Amino acid sequence: HPPRLNGERRGIFATRTPHRPNPIGLSLCRLDAVEGNTLHLSGVDIIQGTPILDIKPYIPYCDKEEEGDVRVPDWILSPPIPPLTVQFSPAAHAQLDTLMPTLRFFHNKDEVLQAIADVLQGDPRSVHLRKKGDLTSSADKKFIFALDAVDVTAAFDESLVTVEEVVPVYSKLKAELQQAKPTQAVQAGAK
């Protein structure tokens, strides 16, 4: 289920859902015809005999194809989830300022802020997390994702997303593992 479809079903290979069984790369091409189980493509940047494992719909704001006529599925043009408003806490701004030199794929802070906002505006949480009902635990409202060399922590509240923290990638996981080690050592010594 793609998060942006809010539970509406589509085939996994017909969407760009982040909840996928494979991290396959994408190539923009034109689907000219379908004959049985054969796809006729043009404008694809692969060599003869390369297997095509996955087909995705064209999404105008992602693919930026300017030429020719392009057919876009209705569920892409009018997703059932309206874009969310994204804001950044002062702490997240300060952390990002500190971490900018560690980033490899962005040239400036504005690019990073835009990329984070682009991810969060479409509500990338799974439908299960989004529809949990009355989220009373603050942990249930948090969403963490990696972007370049940082982990971004955001809190969801209705139609507003607040980026609360930007830290080095995996730093939270490393801290949790370090905290768990002394506890495990004490338990092993008690046996």
Side-chain angles (χ1 to χ4, degrees):
H1 301 291
R4 67 184 281 137
L5 292 182
N6 205 29
E8 191 176 314
R9 296 179 75 84
R10 293 280 185 260
I12 191 161
F13 296 114
T15 69
R16 293 176 179 218
T17 178
H19 312 289
R20 308 183 59 73
N22 58 16
I24 303 295
L26 300 175
S27 177
L28 182 61
C29 64
R30 181 182 181 101
L31 176 61
D32 294 320
V34 178
E35 293 177 0
N37 63 355
T38 301
L39 304 176
H40 296 271
L41 306 173
S42 62
V44 64
D45 59 350
I46 59 176
I47 59 173
Q48 185 69 25
T50 300
I52 297 172
L53 305 176
D54 206 351
I55 304 294
K56 303 276 185 287
Y58 174 83
I59 300 177
Y61 67 86
C62 293
D63 297 314
K64 305 285 187 200
E65 179 62 30
E66 304 283 335
E67 299 174 19
D69 61 286
V70 176
R71 194 174 45 166
V72 181
D74 291 338
W75 53 273
I76 295 292
L77 295 174
S78 301
I81 299 173
L84 302 175
T85 301
V86 178
Q87 66 182 14
F88 292 82
S89 71
H93 273 288
Q95 291 162 339
L96 187 55
D97 287 337
T98 302
L99 294 169
M100 279 305 299
T102 68
L103 301 181
R104 296 179 15 215
F105 303 112
F106 296 95
H107 297 100
N108 59 57
K109 184 178 176 182
D110 288 338
E111 286 182 3
V112 181
L113 293 173
Q114 187 61 55
I116 292 170
D118 288 346
V119 168
L120 294 172
Q121 284 173 339
D123 197 346
R125 298 175 298 165
S126 69
V127 174
H128 169 73
L129 285 177
R130 192 179 312 123
K131 291 191 171 190
K132 260 182 135 172
D134 181 23
L135 299 175
T136 54
S137 165
S138 62
D140 288 339
K141 296 180 183 181
K142 305 282 184 191
F143 181 78
I144 300 172
F145 68 98
L147 181 74
D148 199 326
V150 296
D151 280 337
V152 177
T153 301
F156 287 78
D157 187 20
E158 300 293 324
S159 63
L160 178 66
V161 185
T162 303
V163 176
E164 296 180 338
E165 185 176 52
V166 180
V167 297
V169 73
Y170 298 127
S171 60
K172 286 186 170 190
L173 179 61
K174 289 176 186 174
E176 288 175 14
L177 291 173
Q178 288 299 328
Q179 287 178 343
K181 282 184 182 179
T183 304
Q184 291 170 350
V186 169
Q187 289 173 348
K191 291 182 179 178

